[in-house]
Amino acid sequence: MKKHLFFALSLGLGCLNAPAQQRPPAISSPNVHPDNSITFTYFSRTAREIKLSGEFLKEPVSLIKDTSGIWTVTVPPVVPDIYPYSFTVDGVGVADPNNTFIFANERFKRSIVDVKGDKPLIHSLQNVPHGKITYHNYSSQTLNATRQLLVYTPPNFDASGKTKYPVLYLIHGGSDTEETWTKVGRANFIADNLIAQGKAKPMLIVMPYGNVRPAPMPDFTKDMVNDIVPFVEANYPVQTDSKGRAVAGFSVGGGQTLNIGLTNTDKFAYVCSYAPYTATDEFKKNFTDWTPDADKMNKQLKLFTISVGTEDFLYESVKQNLAMFNEKKINVKPLIVSGGHTWMNCKLFLATSLQEIFK
Amino acid sequence: MKKHLFFALSLGLGCLNAPAQQRPPAISSPNVHPDNSITFTYFSRTAREIKLSGEFLKEPVSLIKDTSGIWTVTVPPVVPDIYPYSFTVDGVGVADPNNTFIFANERFKRSIVDVKGDKPLIHSLQNVPHGKITYHNYSSQTLNATRQLLVYTPPNFDASGKTKYPVLYLIHGGSDTEETWTKVGRANFIADNLIAQGKAKPMLIVMPYGNVRPAPMPDFTKDMVNDIVPFVEANYPVQTDSKGRAVAGFSVGGGQTLNIGLTNTDKFAYVCSYAPYTATDEFKKNFTDWTPDADKMNKQLKLFTISVGTEDFLYESVKQNLAMFNEKKINVKPLIVSGGHTWMNCKLFLATSLQEIFK
């Protein structure tokens, strides 16, 4: 009965223009099995070739079609984690039409599969007190626009002003959105779990929208310092000294983190850069012929870390930057792990930083 | 330079498995022109046929391919509104890969095009004070699960408890999610604008996740009354009498609204049902051989309204329900407009209700 209803409604809402004979059957995809193998399913009577790409695969694998137009493939057991994937249907990349969980991104459409495993992972929804996420519209004078940002407040958040919380400003990757750190990175659940375990301090996590187009990237540095930080400090009971502020980010956001953090060490005592993309005019301007006062910066910075995976396409670039900072006598703590330019690594990097900042 | 960077990063993040020769060019789609015509663009070198479906079209239209694999179609000027659309690529329905704005839904993948027009519409982001949207995880005893709900709080929300706000509980359609009323319905901007104009009272809008699977639908009625309302009233300074509570919903959520509201007129004085889907066991159980105390209900209900479009596939069903309520002497205010089972109409219905409730 329920399935019938669900099907009837999906016809009404989703397929208004489809002739009756093309109406798709109800499909469940993906299905994660108890051994952590995963079956992916797609419906098409007319496709000639369907492949699965996923960050758990070295290369795409083909789906096999049955006589009714249902295509499937089962991949061997994977390490529990959250993985992006997509189908390529006759050369066209698509998200899984039967999976609600979409990778929040402006360029590509991928789905997400959550392989939970036997033990709860640090990003899993666990039976602990939960913080909440608030979507704000703030007015950016720098960018002359109303933009959205997300604010995570910890469990039992005290809005009265009696408690002053530290704030992590957390920036997504290029072509991601302000929702990617929660919807893909599960920053809120990572924080909930680490706070419940006593491993992270209760803090706010502010997740702005970092893309600035068509204006150049330095505008985002100004937006952060002149608009976002003041907006947060006007609206929340937070610490307003550098020791109460951290900045972190991934990829393009990792590069933005270096630009924002290292040119404002009076404002941010914690700078955590994940797989930074630094081939930008702003980075060149800031760090070519750079003559920092290393002693002063090393005193101001309670933590400066750069994280990367050895299979990341930016690994060589990150090594060069680590060498540059070492050469300038800036204390930087590298975190080198396996893996690529992925949100699996992002979650690991964030979980590490949350245990190190504001202590 | 910026485009180059954007392109480089989207390669790194989005196309890890794609051979170099298949890398797609940067595409902008959709493009809304000053006369409200719209150009849709899709890239595929291999597709044989690409069609556009959209709720501004009577039937799908074909895109035309140029020699480089860029397919386009321009549709004539449309009435300013927010419209869902999708492509069908060789029979496979896909969202627009170059459009960030996705219809939040569990069954289909559609994109959204915002045709703003010359004058700001009631759902547009305007230069008025903005409320905020908070994502909560609440523990449902009824459903034995942690579920997400969204709470809109109005501009200048007073959390101190000195002001007690009324609350609208607003339910999405079947296969939608708890985000559909904000991401597609723009409930928050509609409320911001009507509050700024003095046409709606400052209120909270609570948007729960209404789908219950595989358990039957009556469980959601229990979840609403026994879990969601108590959660909101424990966490926000709100009115806790029936005159401070409204319930509204669309499609399956419109049916849920009738079930929740009309069996709890002591708890909800405002019941606003939009294009309700009522072919459910719960509705039959509640309203077959129903012998309401009409005088009492008509006193309890400050507003009971049912809205529908004349081209809605549920129009005949809604007319039968209106006749049934009339026959039972229950005062019901119909709102019959043109149009189909669409979120364009949802926005209109909500904007109407917001001006009528809590007054």
Side-chain angles (χ1 to χ4, degrees), chain A residues 67-229:
Chain A
T67 53
S68 67
I70 293 176
W71 299 65
T72 56
V73 66
T74 298
V75 303
V78 303
V79 176
D81 208 324
I82 299 172
Y83 297 96
Y85 71 96
S86 62
F87 296 117
T88 306
V89 180
D90 291 342
V92 179
V94 297
D96 187 339
N98 295 292
N99 184 346
T100 306
F101 298 104
I102 291 277
F103 195 118
N105 189 277
E106 295 182 332
R107 278 287 288 179
F108 55 77
K109 297 282 175 281
R110 302 173 105 181
S111 300
I112 296 169
V113 57
D114 187 353
V115 181
K116 294 189 163 70
D118 294 329
K119 287 189 225 164
L121 299 172
I122 197 63
H123 59 253
S124 301
L125 174 66
Q126 298 184 26
N127 187 19
V128 298
H130 297 295
K132 56 193 183 183
I133 305 160
T134 301
Y135 285 53
H136 290 270
N137 287 287
Y138 74 100
S139 177
S140 169
Q141 299 299 311
T142 301
L143 302 172
N144 191 29
T146 298
R147 287 164 72 101
Q148 186 167 268
L149 59 77
L150 278 56
V151 178
Y152 166 85
T153 47
N156 306 312
F157 173 67
D158 173 11
S160 74
K162 279 178 212 154
T163 309
K164 299 288 188 193
Y165 293 89
V167 185
L168 167 61
Y169 294 85
L170 184 60
I171 312 166
H172 58 76
S175 87
D176 293 329
T177 77
E178 67 274 28
E179 292 186 296
T180 310
W181 265 112
T182 53
K183 297 209 181 252
V184 185
R186 302 276 174 93
N188 52 322
F189 291 147
I190 294 173
D192 285 349
N193 293 330
L194 289 172
I195 291 169
Q197 293 169 22
K199 292 180 179 168
K201 296 262 182 183
M203 68 179 83
L204 269 64
I205 304 177
V206 173
M207 292 158 278
Y209 175 62
N211 294 328
V212 176
R213 283 188 291 271
M217 196 181 285
D219 281 359
F220 183 67
T221 298
K222 290 181 203 153
D223 185 45
M224 175 69 89
V225 173
N226 298 335
D227 294 287
I228 293 171
V229 170

